[in-house]
Amino acid sequence: MRNSRKSAGAVHSRDTSPGISGDRHGLQAGLKNRHLSMIAIGGVIGAGLFVGSGAGIAAAGPGILISYALVGLLVVLVMRMLGEMAAANPTSGSFSAYADRALGPWAGFTIGWLYWFFWVVVLAVEATAGAAILTGWIPAVPQWAWALIVMTVLTATNLVSVGSYGEFEFWFAGIKVVAIAAFIVIAALAALGLLPGTYAVGTENLTGHGGFLPHGAGAVLSGMLLVVFSFMGIEIVTLAAGESAQPERMVAKATNSVVWRIGTFYLGSIALVVTLLPWDSPAIVEDGPYVAALEAIGFPNAGAVMDVIVLTAVLSCLNSGLYTASRMAFSLGMRGDAPRSFASVNKRGVPGVATLVSVAFGFIAVIFNYTSPDTVFVFLLNSSGAVALFVWLVICFSQLKLRRAIEREAHPRLAVKMWLFPYLTYATIALLVGIVGYMFTDAAGRRQMLLSLLAATVVLSAALVRHRSPRRSAP
């Protein structure tokens, strides 16, 4: 077994090289362009869009479109910054490696481990959600068994090769994309009155039932808190690009397409929902906005079809979460911020130890979800809940610091370039800080932010201790 692993690099000093294109440290270029393209397109579509968006509509009414537009703009700007760094220097550690270089080892350590923690908790959430759907179909198999089966199958997939992960994700993402595209076409035809039994609804649902902002302008901010975290995962393509044959080209392509992806899948589909249905329809929350809209226009078996699509979205998120957590753990191992074994790869170019450790913590979280759902598991959820905002802030500060350095290091013509630098970077930071501040005014948001800050403080303390202690000698 020892001979089947390739050393990931010495640990005498930190791996602070700009990227891994040209030296992948044992990782293989197993992801094809079609894999990366579909990961980029489908990565923005999570189960939260299909199910969780109903809570946002109930909170803000049609004004949720403004919430989605503002958060979408924020994500576009953050992805532009991340794309600039990733296209110049693709690496499996992505923003964690850039933070290490731009802000210091403590920053790379802290945000890397927080991001890893976020995704191993997500593994438990998605495995449980998928198991609940499967148990509804086949009740003879207990829910915990389905969760075990799902986790085991996708772990095996990730361990076989990065190409197998890419292939699974290609089809998972493809189903999500086709489903959303089909919904947009059907809903648009219904809204125009071009389907049997429908009529052109116009703006009656957008302006009726209390108006476009039935709960006032402040509800737009509340809606932002509900939708902001559904965009987490859009950055995965920058981690995956390091294991493709043309990482710079694929990162540039994914970054440049993020505007239409968010505009189409989020704004477009939600706009059709609130156009077809009154925002205060109980079915939006009870059945989910997409099921409610399809049933309202007479689409048969909408609930059963949506269960299949949601299950696909759940499995996609689980598959990508395991991949992402393992690559972040691998990068931390490369930089000496995790055990050396995390930075080892097997003969197929997969960081096996990092993958198995990540899924092990995911299994532990699943157990807590069954044994202590209202105590330990809720604590885990809340303490990882604001990590997305921390990640985005770190990306902003890293890009602010690295832009000039990247230009000096033979990158005068960047494949991706942040618009109006540094002004839009500062504006993005201000918007993110505003969202963090607003979370303290909301009871649920305050609890989530305080526990996330507690988790960040613990990890930051470990980072400061780690980087003040003497270096470990290399093996």
Side-chain angles (χ1 to χ4, degrees):
M1 183 69 178
R2 183 181 299 274
N3 293 332
S4 69
R5 294 188 177 180
K6 304 174 185 178
S7 172
V11 197
H12 292 288
S13 59
R14 300 183 64 75
D15 175 18
T16 55
S17 60
I20 62 171
S21 56
D23 182 8
R24 301 175 191 273
H25 305 297
L27 296 178
Q28 303 298 311
L31 291 176
K32 301 176 182 177
N33 287 347
R34 65 181 178 87
H35 294 156
L36 264 294
S37 296
M38 193 56 73
I39 289 170
I41 296 172
V44 74
I45 307 171
L49 174 62
F50 295 110
V51 181
S53 52
I57 295 172
I64 194 65
L65 293 175
I66 301 177
S67 302
Y68 272 110
L70 289 174
V71 175
L73 175 62
L74 174 65
V75 172
V76 166
L77 294 174
V78 170
M79 273 300 295
R80 192 76 189 177
M81 287 180 260
L82 180 57
E84 178 183 285
M85 296 183 288
N89 301 300
T91 171
S92 62
S94 189
F95 52 84
S96 174
Y98 308 141
D100 188 295
R101 185 182 177 201
L103 308 176
W106 62 271
F109 179 105
T110 303
I111 204 63
W113 277 113
L114 284 174
Y115 191 69
W116 178 87
F117 173 55
F118 170 85
W119 280 110
V120 295
V121 173
V122 166
L123 293 181
V125 174
E126 302 298 343
T128 304
I133 295 174
L134 290 167
T135 301
W137 294 346
I138 309 176
V141 180
Q143 188 170 324
W144 66 266
W146 277 123
L148 177 63
I149 292 169
V150 167
M151 290 275 279
T152 302
V153 169
L154 292 180
T155 300
T157 299
N158 275 265
L159 287 173
V160 168
S161 70
V162 68
S164 63
Y165 154 73
E167 198 63 31
F168 268 72
E169 193 56 28
F170 175 82
W171 292 106
F172 286 152
I175 292 171
K176 293 188 294 183
V177 170
V178 169
I180 285 291
F183 172 82
I184 290 173
V185 171
I186 293 170
L189 292 174
L192 295 172
L194 299 178
L195 292 182
T198 64
Y199 66 96
V201 292
T203 60
E204 63 183 54
N205 289 323
L206 295 173
T207 57
H209 304 271
F212 188 75
L213 296 171
H215 299 309
V220 171
L221 295 176
S222 300
M224 288 179 67
L225 295 187
L226 291 170
V227 306
V228 67
F229 302 108
S230 64
F231 286 92
M232 191 65 165
I234 196 171
E235 72 290 334
I236 291 175
V237 68
T238 64
L239 283 85
E243 293 178 79
S244 68
Q246 298 174 302
E248 297 88 351
R249 176 176 174 271
M250 296 311 300
V251 167
K253 184 177 179 181
T255 304
N256 291 329
S257 67
V258 72
V259 175
W260 72 260
R261 286 186 279 139
I262 290 176
T264 301
F265 298 136
Y266 278 86
L267 275 174
S269 62
I270 295 297
L272 286 167
V273 168
V274 294
T275 298
L276 288 169
L277 290 174
W279 67 269
D280 53 358
S281 170
I284 288 180
V285 176
E286 294 172 3
D287 302 328
Y290 296 92
V291 172
L294 289 173
E295 288 184 342
I297 60 180
F299 192 88
N301 302 315
V305 172
M306 192 55 63
D307 275 348
V308 175
I309 296 168
V310 171
L311 177 62
T312 301
V314 164
L315 294 178
S316 172
C317 188
L318 184 58
N319 191 40
S320 289
L322 181 53
Y323 170 83
T324 304
S326 66
R327 274 18 178 217
M328 185 56 71
F330 169 83
S331 178
L332 289 166
M334 278 296 309
R335 288 175 273 144
D337 287 338
R340 297 187 191 106
S341 58
F342 283 28
S344 63
V345 297
N346 60 27
K347 61 185 178 182
R348 295 179 297 276
V350 174
V353 174
T355 301
L356 290 173
V357 170
S358 298
V359 79
F361 276 86
F363 273 121
I364 292 172
V366 170
I367 293 171
F368 281 134
N369 194 11
Y370 286 108
T371 60
S372 310
D374 299 322
T375 52
V376 178
F377 191 68
V378 168
F379 173 80
L380 291 176
L381 282 177
N382 285 326
S383 57
S384 64
V387 167
L389 297 176
F390 300 161
V391 167
W392 294 347
L393 277 169
V394 166
I395 289 171
C396 292
F397 284 111
S398 298
Q399 188 265 344
L400 200 61
K401 186 78 176 289
L402 285 181
R403 170 65 171 270
R404 302 305 182 198
I406 292 173
E407 290 179 330
R408 286 195 303 269
E409 294 173 359
H411 293 288
R413 298 181 63 183
L414 300 175
V416 178
K417 199 169 186 177
M418 179 59 183
W419 305 299
L420 296 178
F421 176 82
Y423 307 109
L424 276 182
T425 301
Y426 284 123
T428 306
I429 292 172
L431 182 55
L432 283 168
V433 171
I435 292 175
V436 169
Y438 188 74
M439 286 187 72
F440 284 101
T441 68
D442 177 79
R446 181 166 55 250
R447 186 183 314 112
Q448 195 173 72
M449 180 56 68
L450 288 174
L451 288 175
S452 295
L453 286 172
L454 174 62
T457 301
V458 171
V459 178
L460 176 59
S461 299
L464 295 176
V465 171
R466 165 69 184 86
H467 292 291
R468 285 177 181 172
S469 62
R471 294 286 183 196
R472 294 172 294 178
S473 60

